[in-house]
């Protein structure tokens, strides 16, 4: 019984306590059955109870609870089943931030632009949402490193030494390779590849730093944001 009450408490958080526009509501019999099934460690029965709840009453709360159960399966099929449910919940109640956050999190795995757009839309609705700021920062941090590594791959001795054997000892960094290139080749290379890549990198760096700063502003206990922000500054030499 104690575990059952604890599970019901978790359900209150899931369907009622995660957004300012939703309040804990009386549980339907289907959700109580779900809690009991969780207590008995029977995921199949829990999912069946939630599916029945959605069929009977497709409220945003029920849709979100069922989507969360699908996500908890940890399968591609479960995630695919969760996405349309979360879209329905978000469309029915745009202020249901928990559903929108979970949807954006699922998008991260295969539709990064959709994930970024969803996090930015969430922040338009709730500028103090630390979770959305943090996830946005993580995505832009990843983009920063990808652009930066792409720039490094463009200018390495490995891509130029085929014709310049005297550069065998050149350091494997873009700055040193640019030094060894003839002025005309250096200018063309800068204009066509390295500078655009580094510009993209700088834009993502600035956005990641800003988003981590906002995360810390709205959730000072978010330790990972401090750590990642420090590592970004170290990466660029801005200690």
């Amino acid at each position: 019984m104690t575990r059952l009450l604890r599970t019901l408490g978790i359900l209150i958080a899931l369907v009622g306590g995660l957004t300012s526009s939703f309040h804990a509501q009386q549980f339907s019999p289907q959700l109580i059955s779900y809690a009991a099934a969780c207590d008995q460690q029977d995921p199949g029965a829990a999912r069946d109870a939630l599916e029945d709840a959605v069929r009977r009453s497709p409220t945003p709360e029920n849709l979100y609870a069922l989507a969360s159960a699908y996500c908890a399966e940890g399968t591609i099929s479960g995630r695919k089943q969760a996405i349309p449910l979360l879209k329905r919940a978000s469309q029915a109640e745009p202020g249901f931030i928990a559903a929108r956050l979970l949807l954006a999190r699922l998008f991260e795995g295969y539709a990064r632009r959709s994930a970024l757009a969803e996090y930015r839309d969430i922040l338009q609705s709730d500028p103090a949402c630390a979770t959305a700021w943090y996830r946005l920062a993580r995505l832009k941090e990843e983009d920063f490193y990808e652009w930066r590594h792409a720039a490094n791959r463009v200018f390495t001795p490995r891509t130029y030494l085929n014709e310049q054997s005297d550069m065998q000892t050149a350091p494997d960094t873009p700055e040193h390779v640019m030094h060894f290139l003839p002025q005309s080749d250096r200018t063309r290379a800068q204009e066509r590849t390295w500078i655009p890549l580094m510009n993209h990198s700088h834009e993502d760096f600035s956005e990641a730093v800003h988003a981590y700063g906002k995360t810390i502003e709205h959730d000072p206990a978010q330790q990972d944001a401090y750590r990642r922000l420090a590592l970004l500054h170290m990466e660029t030499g801005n200690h």
Side-chain angles (χ1 to χ4, degrees), residues 19-235:
T19 69
S20 58
S21 61
F22 276 76
H23 302 283
Q25 301 178 6
Q26 183 176 0
F27 286 117
S28 68
Q30 291 76 26
L31 283 176
I32 293 174
S33 297
Y34 170 64
C38 289
D39 185 57
Q40 297 167 7
Q41 297 183 344
D42 187 348
R47 185 180 59 249
D48 291 344
L50 283 173
E51 289 173 347
D52 185 45
V54 168
R55 281 192 295 269
R56 292 171 181 268
S57 179
T59 63
E61 298 97 325
N62 285 349
L63 291 166
Y64 173 71
L66 178 56
S68 298
Y70 284 143
C71 290
E73 294 176 1
T75 64
I76 294 176
S77 174
R79 291 192 290 273
K80 286 183 177 179
Q81 289 176 288
I83 287 173
L85 296 172
L86 293 168
K87 287 182 177 179
R88 288 171 60 190
S90 300
Q91 290 166 359
E93 179 47 70
F96 197 171
I97 300 299
R100 298 179 64 184
L101 285 172
L102 183 54
L103 178 61
R105 194 75 172 87
L106 292 176
F107 279 153
E108 286 187 30
Y110 70 96
R112 289 176 66 87
R113 289 185 180 179
S114 296
L116 287 166
E118 188 64 34
Y119 286 131
R120 287 177 176 135
D121 285 346
I122 290 170
L123 291 168
Q124 287 292 321
S125 302
D126 184 3
C129 182
T131 300
W133 280 118
Y134 175 73
R135 294 310 311 172
L136 177 63
R138 288 291 302 271
L139 290 174
K140 299 313 294 185
E141 177 188 359
E142 291 173 6
D143 290 345
F144 159 71
Y145 283 117
E146 287 197 13
W147 285 117
R148 193 172 180 85
H149 292 162
N152 289 340
R153 286 194 297 271
V154 167
F155 290 107
T156 64
R158 289 189 297 276
T159 62
Y160 192 70
L161 288 181
N162 291 335
E163 299 177 0
Q164 303 293 329
S165 59
D166 59 331
M167 290 176 57
Q168 290 292 341
T169 60
D172 193 10
T173 64
E175 291 82 3
H176 282 85
V177 175
M178 293 296 277
H179 173 74
F180 280 98
L181 286 171
Q183 185 62 44
S184 58
D185 291 343
R186 188 183 312 174
T187 302
R188 286 196 296 269
Q190 286 177 321
E191 291 176 350
R192 295 176 183 176
T193 51
W194 192 70
I195 288 178
L197 289 172
M198 292 303 289
N199 284 341
H200 283 302
S201 173
H202 179 71
E203 291 170 5
D204 289 324
F205 169 82
S206 298
E207 191 167 357
V209 168
H210 174 72
Y212 278 133
K214 285 292 186 179
T215 302
I216 294 167
E217 175 184 339
H218 297 296
D219 182 9
Q222 179 33 292
Q223 296 297 319
D224 195 56
Y226 291 96
R227 182 180 67 85
R228 290 183 174 278
L229 182 58
L231 289 173
L232 275 173
H233 285 300
M234 290 176 66
E235 176 70 20

